[in-house]
Each structure stands twice: as C-alpha cells, then as structure tokens.
C-alpha cells in the first residue's frame, strides 16, 4: 500500500515536469547531425541509405500541384501528401495525372525498374523549384513521401493550420531502400481492447517510421477480439471481463456479481475497414489467434474445448493470477487455459475460425501463437494419455507438436502460411513453418539453421512492454529494456543464412497498458530504434547520431500529439557498498551531454543544486534522493524521487 501511494505521488509529480520540459536543445542536436550527415536540418528516421545535401531550400508555395499517374494504388499516396501538406500549411494542394507545366511535386513510377530500389525503395530529389519522388512501386513513393514530410519543419505534423512558418525543405538527393522486408509491430489488443479508431491511430504513427506489418494479437486469456460467424459466444462472453485498475496480474479474482462489461471486439466489417485502412498505408495486418495456450477467453465461451471438465470454473481473465512461473517455463497453470489437442471438436472449432480469418485478412500469413502452453493439466488428462498412446507421442512437447501440425494443415488448407512463436520448434515442425523468435535471438538462429523462415522479435531488444527506465518511474513490468539496448537490435545475426531471415518486429504486449496514450508511450521512441534496425544499412547505425535525430522527432511528436517516453533522459541508479559498508550511489545517463542535479533534503533540485560528479553516500538520516537531468540550462529528465531504503535494498541483492 505504501508503495502504491508512493508511486501515485511520483506519477503526479512527473506529469507536469515532463509536459513542461521534454523539449530539448536544438542547437546541440543539429550540430551533431551536421557532422554525420553534413546536413544540419535533415533528421530522418530511419536513416536513409544515402543522403546528398545540396545548397538551398525548396519553399512550399500556396498552390501546390502534385503530378502522379492515375494508378489506384497511388491514390492514397497522393491523398496522404495532400492531407499532410495542406492542413498545417493552408496551401491548396491539387492533383493532376498528366504532365503539367509548373507542377510542384512529381511522383514517378520508374518506367525502367531500378533494381537497387526493390519494391519499397525510392529516390527523393528536392531542388529549389521542384520535388521528385521516383520508385518502382507505389510503396516506394509512399516511403519517399514520409521522408519528404520529415524534411519540412516540425509544425508540418500539426493537425491544424499553423501561421507564420516558412515551409522550407533542404535541397537533397536521397536514395533509400529497406534492409529487410518484414518490418513489424505487434499490438496486443487482447489484454486490453483498443478501438478501431485507436488501431488506426497506431497505424498512422507506425507508418512515419516505414513499418509495413501490423501484427494484431487478437485472442488471449483476457479477451477474444474478432467476430466469428457461427461462434457467437466468442464475442458475447469471450470479449468481456471485469474492469480492474492497478497492477495487472495481481488483482483479486472478480466476485461472481461484478459486471463483465469491460472489453470489446471488432466486427467483421470493422476488420475489413482496418485491413483497408492499413493497406492504403502499405501496411499488411497479420492476425494472431493464440492457441493452444492463452485460450481462456475461448474456453470461457465454449468450455468443451478444454481437456479439463468444470465449465463453471472458466471465466475470461480479468488480470487475476492464473499461472505460476516460479519454476520457469512452461508455467504451471492454476486454471487450464489450453485448448485440448485430444479433442476433435477443437480442430473443427479452429477450422471455422481460420476459414473466416483467412477470408478477412489478405496477408499471406496467419500467426497461430503456440507460446507458453502449460502442460500440467494435459499431464493429468485421460484423453491426452489416450492420444499419446494412439499417436506414439512420448512427451508433452510432442503432444503440442501434434496439435501444431494439425493446425498448420488447417491454415494451409485455407491457402495461408503458418507462423508461430518459437516454442513450436519443440514440436519438430516441417520446414515450411515460419517461426517468430521471441525468447532471445537463439531460437531464430536455430530455426534458420533448420531452414525455417524467421522473424526476429527477441525480448532482448524488441519487447516494448518492458520498462524503459528505473522501476520507480515506470509502470511495473518484470523486465527493462532501455532505448540504447533496443538500438543494438540486428535482425540478421552473424553466421545465419540471411535468406531465411524475413525481418524483425517489436512487440507491444498490453497487460500493463490500459489506454492508447500509454501504448504510444511504450512504443516511442523504442519503435524508432527498431525501425532503424530493420530499415537502415547496419554500417549507418550510430547511437549518438540516432539519438540526436530522436530528439528532433520528440518535437515532431509533440506537435503531432503522439505520446512518447522521455525515460531516456532519466538517470540510471547503481549501488554498491564501500569497504566500511557505506551505501554508495552511482548515477549515470544513457545519453551523453546531460548534467544530473540532486538533493537529499526532500526539496526539488534544479541546476543551482549540487551537480553529480562522483559516487554519493547518503547523509545518515536522509530518506529520499531526488534527481533531475539538465541539458545546459534546460531540464530534460523527470524529477525522480528515489527512496534511500530502496537503494539500500538493491545494494544487498
Ligand atoms: C510471448 O511473449 N509470450 C510470445
């Protein structure tokens, strides 16, 4: 309780501090970009393959003419530019499809394919009088348009007209194409439901950074989010739980009379609308139906899908404890949340689901989960024992393997490719199974060696649900992942045949993410780091240069009113004990050029307080170390209040 009140106090403290001070020092930023890009006002994320800056600027006129071929797929590229250029600037943006003297922006589909650009690359040329974007395919023109928007002042991100801005873009020649074809973000809409409008908002943010796949985690213990005709209970029962607020995972089990009215689902029309919205922005949506584990919402709807009798025990989870992880993976289930591999009804249920999912989502893959299935209820089940005997299965991994192979057949019978989390490797799957490596890179490496297609989405670099800074500042999750670590992500590890690596992906699980603002906070800026890791040439990656651009993008996101985490500015606390057992506190920062000011007297430090220069030993009676980071005279970090007791506890670990 004490902790909870303390965290509440901290969060109240930090909101105004962040709102006021997140904007950072422009001069320092542009200077460093200048060194690397030789172009002080170019801060594109992800970093393009080649940027050649020339003299001068293009200034957007009040009448803009976009000339583009009248191809249906280009309509959305033109519409995107029209919207983004006209709303903030007030310019009138017209479109013509035939060559017009005096056109402002030309979108050109290469008559002769430029093989270096591939399907998604582009060439963007900005001269004082004209802008040209060339590409082999419409997707390339869209990414060229994204880079063009990033060349204009940050106010271009505004959703309303902005006065008194010179809308200028530096003259430049950019040649650019992605490092890998699969550039994904996973959004878990099952743990908390996010509306159709919120999913669109998420897509709008991801396309800035040239992501092209949105993996929707549509089902889990906490909710079934997609209408399936003929299985109405999935959304009548499975989409709803009891609203709980606090630390997900440790909630009291809901009482029988608490209303189950928290949640929601997408109708099939909603799904079609989202698929089209994404497609118009060159994003494919990959659906995930997570089975055989993580299936409590389905089982609460249709208890006969479980191996374990007891329909009355099954309720869509509301965040209460249902798994014991104390012995590691696989976990011990306290409630059986698995579909029963020994039950033929399960396969006809999945056939119905997959038939409709395959029709709704044109993307070539369906993700069928496969992660974290607990085995303890299967071990006790007579029907599983009978299945093992009949099929000659020796252990529970083989039981899951039997299930996965049958599901794969169903997926393939609908003309789709099967993808699963890396646990499916334990089931000795055929080579045409695609693997998403999440438990680090190693299972992806192993899968590629076994000639499976692989998407790398390792916890090590790409888990956006992990905390971005010290636990005292972030909603508590069991692990941390700082921006600088995310930036180390290389989806194509050494020693692996890169033809098996489709690409990389970051995953936003939402157990602790209750709303879209927090989803954005968790995604950005780490989503920028992953975007650069999957798009930019590895030799062009440079942390300091990247962070300078991130700071520019913070300002752009402020204008766009997209939330992001400022956690990278917060100091890192390390503790030790001196020879005479004194607690010693070391403070450091993730980015260079910050000063840390501190107090032990409970007042709020600013840059007139002591500056941190060496390890601190707290005064005998001090209870709280307060710290804040500055860049020159500008506060940039949040005001952190760290209990000395907490540091003392950490030093004993
Ligand atoms: C996972 O994070 N359980 C795939």
């Amino acid at each position: 309780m004490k902790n909870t009140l303390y965290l509440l106090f901290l969060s109240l403290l930090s909101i105004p501090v962040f709102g006021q001070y997140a904007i950072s020092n422009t001069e320092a930023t542009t200077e460093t970009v200048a060194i690397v890009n030789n172009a002080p006002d170019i801060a594109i994320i992800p970093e393009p393959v080649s940027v050649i800056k020339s003299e001068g600027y293009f200034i957007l006129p009040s009448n803009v003419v976009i000339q583009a071929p009248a191809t249906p797929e280009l309509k959305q590229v033109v519409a995107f530019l029209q919207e983004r250029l006209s709303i903030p600037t007030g310019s009138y943006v017209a479109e013509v499809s035939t060559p017009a003297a005096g056109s402002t922006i030309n979108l050109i589909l290469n008559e002769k394919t430029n093989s270096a650009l591939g399907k998604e690359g582009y060439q963007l040329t900005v001269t004082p009088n004209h802008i040209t974007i060339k590409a082999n395919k419409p997707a390339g023109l869209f990414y060229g348009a994204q880079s063009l928007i990033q060349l204009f002042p940050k106010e271009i991100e505004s959703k309303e007209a902005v006065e008194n801005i010179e809308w200028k873009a530096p003259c430049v020649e950019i040649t650019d194409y992605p490092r890998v074809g699969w550039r994904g973000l996973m959004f878990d809409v099952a743990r908390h439901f996010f509306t159709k409008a919120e999913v669109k908002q998420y897509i709008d943010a991801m396309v800035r950074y040239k992501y092209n796949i949105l993996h929707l985690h549509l089902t889990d213990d906490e909710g079934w989010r997609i209408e399936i005709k003929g299985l109405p209970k999935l959304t009548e029962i499975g989409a709803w739980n009891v609203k709980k607020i606090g630390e997900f995972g440790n909630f009291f089990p809901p009482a029988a009379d608490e209303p189950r009215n928290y949640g929601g689902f997408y109708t099939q029309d909603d799904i079609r609308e989202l698929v089209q919205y994404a497609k118009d922005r060159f994003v494919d949506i990959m659906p995930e139906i997570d089975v055989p584990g993580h299936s409590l919402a389905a089982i609460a709807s249709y208890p006969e899908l479980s191996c374990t009798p007891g329909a009355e025990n099954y309720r869509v989870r509301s965040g209460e404890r249902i798994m014991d992880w104390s012995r590691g993976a696989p976990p011990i289930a306290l409630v059986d949340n698995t579909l029963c591999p020994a039950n033929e009804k399960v396969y006809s249920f999945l056939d119905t689901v997959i038939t409709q999912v395959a029709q709704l989502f044109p993307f070539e893959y369906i993700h069928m989960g496969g992660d974290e299935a607990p085995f303890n209820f299967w071990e006790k089940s007579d029907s599983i024992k009978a299945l093992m005997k009949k099929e000659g299965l020796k252990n529970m991994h083989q039981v899951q393997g039997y299930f996965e192979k049958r599901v794969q057949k169903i997926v393939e019978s609908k003309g789709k490719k099967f993808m699963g989390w890396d646990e499916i490797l334990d089931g000795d799957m055929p080579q045409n199974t695609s693997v998403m490596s999440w438990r680090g890179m190693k299972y992806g490496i192993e899968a590629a060696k076994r000639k499976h297609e692989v998407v790398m989405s390792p916890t090590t670099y790409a888990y956006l649900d992990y905390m971005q800074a010290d636990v005292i500042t972030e909603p508590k999750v069991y692990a941390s992942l700082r921006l600088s670590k995310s930036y180390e992500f290389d989806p194509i590890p050494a020693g692996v045949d890169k033809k098996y690596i489709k690409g990389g992906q970051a995953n936003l699980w939402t157990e602790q993410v209750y709303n879209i603002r927090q989803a954005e906070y968790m995604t950005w800026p780490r989503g920028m780091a992953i975007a650069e890791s999957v798009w930019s040439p590895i030799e062009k990656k440079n942390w300091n240069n990247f962070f300078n651009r991130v700071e520019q993008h913070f300002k752009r996101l402020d204008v766009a009113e997209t939330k992001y985490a400022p956690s990278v500015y917060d100091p890192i606390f390390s503790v030790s004990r001196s020879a005479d057992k004194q607690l010693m506190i070391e403070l450091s920062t993730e980015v260079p050029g910050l000063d840390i000011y501190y107090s032990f007297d409970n007042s709020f430090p600013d840059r007139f307080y002591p500056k941190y220069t060496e390890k601190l030993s707290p005064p005998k009676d001090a209870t709280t170390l307060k710290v804040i980071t500055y860049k020159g005279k500008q506060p940039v970090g949040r005001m952190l209040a760290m209990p000395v007791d907490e540091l003392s506890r950490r030093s004993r670990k």
Side-chain angles (χ1 to χ4, degrees), residues 41 56-60 126-127 131 148 151-153 167-171:
D41 34 14
Y57 289 88
F58 167 91
I59 301 191
L60 198 75
V126 180
T127 69
I131 293 170
L148 172 63
L151 292 176
F152 282 105
W167 298 102
K168 63 180 194 176
C171 291

Side-chain angles (χ1 to χ4, degrees), residues 179-225:
R179 180 158 182 235
V180 294
W182 185 298
R183 302 183 305 281
L185 275 181
M186 189 215 72
F187 192 14
D188 170 5
V189 293
R191 267 47 181 274
H192 287 280
F193 179 63
F194 292 85
T195 63
K196 194 169 54 172
E198 289 167 339
V199 175
K200 288 181 183 175
Q201 186 175 326
Y202 202 74
I203 293 171
D204 288 342
M206 68 188 270
V207 297
R208 279 171 207 282
Y209 300 109
K210 304 186 175 87
Y211 281 102
N212 64 355
I213 288 169
L214 175 66
H215 167 170
L216 280 185
H217 182 75
L218 286 166
T219 70
D220 214 302
D221 299 319
E222 297 77 7
W224 183 282
R225 305 295 179 208

Side-chain angles (χ1 to χ4, degrees), residues 578-646:
S578 63
D580 60 350
K581 301 270 186 291
Q582 281 288 318
L583 172 66
M584 302 303 293
I585 305 165
E586 191 174 347
L587 302 175
S588 56
T589 59
E590 205 178 343
V591 285
L594 303 186
D595 295 320
I596 306 173
Y597 297 91
Y598 67 92
S599 78
F600 278 110
D601 62 9
N602 302 327
S603 64
F604 301 104
D606 58 22
R607 72 185 184 85
F608 300 95
Y609 274 61
K611 187 199 277 195
Y612 176 83
T613 53
E614 59 184 0
K615 283 186 189 176
L616 305 172
S617 172
K620 192 159 175 287
D621 298 304
T623 57
T624 308
L625 167 61
K626 287 206 173 92
V627 293
I628 186 162
T629 55
Y630 273 65
K631 199 173 217 190
K633 293 185 176 181
Q634 280 292 319
V636 287
R638 294 174 287 195
M639 181 72 67
L640 303 191
M642 172 62 87
V644 171
D645 277 357
E646 165 66 12

Side-chain angles (χ1 to χ4, degrees), residues 186 191 215 217 220 288 290 294 325 367 369-372 421-423 436-439 457 459 463 465-466 478 507 509 511:
M186 189 215 72
R191 267 47 181 274
H215 167 170
H217 182 75
D220 214 302
E288 180 188 351
D290 196 355
H294 290 278
W325 283 96
H367 196 304
D371 59 319
E372 300 178 324
W421 298 112
D422 57 46
E423 285 94 329
M436 195 166 263
S437 183
W438 73 277
R439 293 175 297 169
S457 65
T459 52
Y463 261 41
D465 58 321
Y466 284 11
Y478 57 94
N507 297 332
W509 301 101
E511 287 96 324

